[in-house]
Amino acid sequence: MDKPWKRFERRVATICGGERIPVSDRRTPLDVKHDLLGIECKFRTKLPKWLFNDAWNQAVAGCDGTDLIPTVVAGEKGNSNAFAIINLDDLMKILEERTK
């Protein structure tokens, strides 16, 4: 049986037009080889409630009836990094527009 995390990596690679790199074939330390993105996949039984039930649903509701793309930006105290979370299909649409 194929493990769920492997199926997830394959699905992500297919959506992105990339290639899943098996653990046994480490041509790259990433899970998916892609021309523009460095893709590391994490597949969990549950994602954090505050992020996906609260913040994500709030972003989706706030974009309802508009052409805006729901986006959650998360940061951490004492760290200058900010991380944007958007739907993978929306990211691919943005990249397709960029490469036209």
Side-chain angles (χ1 to χ4, degrees), residues 11-88:
R11 183 170 58 125
V12 169
T14 298
I15 290 169
C16 296
E19 174 192 0
R20 179 183 177 266
I21 304 298
V23 174
S24 61
D25 179 14
R26 280 293 148 187
R27 290 177 275 151
T28 173
L30 300 169
D31 293 323
V32 176
K33 184 176 183 294
H34 188 272
D35 291 339
L36 295 172
L37 303 172
I39 302 172
E40 174 66 21
C41 297
K42 297 299 178 197
F43 186 72
R44 299 289 183 260
T45 302
K46 285 191 109 167
L47 294 172
K49 179 187 178 303
W50 67 267
L51 183 59
F52 288 96
N53 287 350
D54 301 339
W56 183 255
N57 288 339
Q58 186 175 353
V60 169
C63 292
D64 190 34
T66 72
D67 289 335
L68 299 174
I69 296 171
T71 307
V72 173
V73 177
E76 183 177 53
K77 185 177 180 178
N79 186 333
S80 62
N81 290 324
F83 301 94
I85 300 165
I86 68 171
N87 181 286
L88 184 56

Side-chain angles (χ1 to χ4, degrees), residues 79-98:
N79 186 333
S80 62
N81 290 324
F83 301 94
I85 300 165
I86 68 171
N87 181 286
L88 184 56
D89 290 333
D90 289 333
L91 174 61
M92 298 317 300
K93 288 176 193 170
I94 292 168
L95 291 176
E96 286 171 17
E97 287 296 318
R98 177 181 181 242

